[in-house]
Amino acid sequence: MTLFDGITARIVETPRLAVGILEREGDDPATAPEQTVVLIHGNVSSSLFWQEIMQDLPGDLRVIAIDLRGFGGTEHAPIDATRGVRDFSDDVFATLQALGIPEAHLVGWSMGGGVVMQYALDHPALSLTLQAPVSPYGFGGTRRDGTRLTTDDAGTGGGGANPDFVQRLIDGDKSDEAQTSPRSVFRSGYVASGYTSEHEDTWVESMLTTSTATGNYPGDGVASENWPGFAAGDIGVLNTMTPGHFDTSGIVDLAVKPPILWIHGTADAIVSDASFYDLNYLGQLGIIPGWPGAEVAPAQEMKAQTRDVLGAYAAAGGDVTEIALEGVGHSPHLERPAEFRRALLERIGYVGAPADPAPPTEAIILRSAD
């Protein structure tokens, strides 16, 4: 495991499973919940992806990054996808309980955004920062209003994973020789074109921690009479986000609504209204043959769904801030770290929002003799 300066790793034993976490040297375990930030990674990744932002956050905060089950240093226990992402969110809750943290500010990236939304449905949270989050209605197979396209969620779940990509995870492939290698997928999907980093090897290392054991990534699938011929299964990572298993739109009805920051990039290839990971959109483009048309299998309007739900959350009394970063892909915390850091610190109340419009400036001219 490649750890950056000032970052430490350990295993936390919980009643559910052994959980890997990253912390910062010098962070005080007695830090108040109001100054505690918990970072939750997304699919095919781990806590390693958070290290740069962990280094950059103020030293008087306590910052913890948690590995979800089947990723990073956490136990590779099977995932019951019929519970949606609750296996993940319950693991996070158990970890925070073991650490003596009753509440915290939660940050979730991609699938992790779904995990922290589910967490807020089941447990108290001080705030939610949703970075490029999965739609509140899951991934694939729904219309704008969240209704399911088919009763078996055709075209979603574990059956949609690219088998060559899965094999390259198993083989620990660190090359960029194929479009399906983890490194190539990172470059084409996780970030926008033009992003470079001296830490790319660490990001690939993080992806390669993904467990492909039964019940982990990607999960099972079943045959379907509906296009494209398969439907969602009941175990494994990708099935946790299928619309029959996953729905976090209930956050609108929370009695106590934590403030929410939704931060995302306009060039996101994964979570988008035109996602290259949505089989219906690929069918629309002709990449997958036999697409039955937009009436039967429309592309999922992922960001529109999130905007609708968060708009209803705000209308019901919640505090929501949306930040769309132009030209940024699926990873704002990597691509625009300064803007991500500022937005997060504003959301948790660590710094105030800048005045808008900005106050007039004043020039003070000093003589050289002064």
Side-chain angles (χ1 to χ4, degrees):
M1 182 185 297
T2 301
L3 298 179
F4 296 178
D5 290 345
I7 306 297
T8 63
R10 67 178 169 120
I11 299 296
V12 177
E13 296 292 341
T14 80
R16 293 176 58 80
L17 77 174
V19 177
I21 68 170
L22 297 186
E23 298 172 290
R24 304 187 303 181
E25 293 176 355
D27 279 7
D28 185 357
T31 299
E34 293 76 12
Q35 289 187 283
T36 300
V37 177
V38 177
L39 306 167
I40 308 298
H41 65 82
N43 189 18
V44 190
S45 64
S46 75
S47 60
L48 292 179
F49 266 99
W50 292 116
Q51 292 186 91
E52 287 182 316
I53 199 67
M54 292 178 74
Q55 290 177 316
D56 289 345
L57 288 172
D60 56 344
L61 297 176
R62 186 182 185 190
V63 185
I64 300 165
I66 295 177
D67 286 326
L68 299 175
R69 68 168 61 191
F71 301 97
T74 293
E75 192 175 335
H76 297 178
I79 299 159
D80 179 1
T82 65
R83 305 185 69 233
V85 292
R86 273 194 174 93
D87 273 358
F88 293 135
S89 62
D90 286 351
D91 292 345
V92 171
F93 179 73
T95 304
L96 297 186
Q97 291 290 296
L99 293 171
I101 300 172
E103 290 183 279
H105 299 285
L106 303 180
V107 181
W109 173 31
S110 193
M111 181 179 75
V115 173
V116 302
M117 283 191 281
Q118 184 62 60
Y119 187 104
L121 285 169
D122 299 330
H123 312 289
L126 295 176
S127 73
L128 306 181
T129 293
L130 309 176
Q131 178 185 238
V134 62
S135 161
Y137 299 115
F139 200 96
T142 57
R143 301 188 185 277
R144 172 79 176 257
D145 64 0
T147 54
R148 297 160 69 190
L149 299 180
T150 64
T151 57
D152 62 356
D153 297 326
T156 73
N162 186 302
D164 192 61
F165 174 65
V166 176
Q167 187 59 53
R168 289 174 185 275
L169 288 175
I170 294 170
D171 295 341
D173 182 6
K174 299 180 181 180
S175 76
D176 60 359
E177 297 173 356
Q179 290 184 336
T180 51
S181 74
R183 189 179 300 271
S184 296
V185 169
F186 170 79
R187 292 175 181 173
S188 65
Y190 285 40
V191 292
S193 176
Y195 169 85
T196 59
S197 170
E198 63 179 314
H199 300 304
E200 185 178 86
D201 287 348
T202 303
W203 312 150
V204 174
E205 175 189 346
S206 176
M207 296 173 71
L208 290 173
T209 68
T210 301
S211 171
T212 55
T214 301
N216 292 123
Y217 184 85
D220 63 341
V222 298
S224 172
E225 295 180 355
N226 300 303
W227 185 88
F230 70 89
D234 288 335
I235 61 171
V237 175
L238 294 185
N239 292 311
T240 66
M241 295 175 283
T242 55
H245 297 151
F246 179 96
D247 184 347
T248 58
S249 64
I251 61 171
V252 170
D253 300 319
L254 285 174
V256 178
K257 293 179 169 62
I260 291 177
L261 165 65
W262 174 30
I263 184 167
H264 57 98
T266 63
D268 192 337
I270 298 177
V271 176
S272 167
D273 290 353
S275 170
F276 286 95
Y277 290 75
D278 177 3
L279 297 191
N280 287 351
Y281 182 65
L282 295 180
Q284 177 182 317
L285 295 180
I287 296 172
I288 300 177
W291 182 59
E295 286 298 316
V296 176
Q300 184 187 13
E301 299 177 77
M302 301 179 188
K303 287 189 177 181
Q305 289 176 333
T306 297
R307 189 168 289 112
D308 290 347
V309 169
L310 294 185
Y313 187 88
D319 178 0
V320 177
T321 299
E322 177 186 352
I323 298 176
L325 299 175
E326 189 67 31
V328 170
H330 193 56
S331 309
H333 74 291
L334 298 181
E335 299 170 74
R336 297 275 185 85
E339 291 167 79
F340 177 84
R341 177 184 185 274
R342 175 77 194 195
L344 172 59
L345 292 177
E346 288 179 12
R347 181 72 290 172
I348 69 175
Y350 188 89
V351 298
D356 186 17
T361 58
E362 179 179 334
I364 300 175
I365 301 174
L366 299 178
R367 299 175 303 163
S368 59
D370 296 331

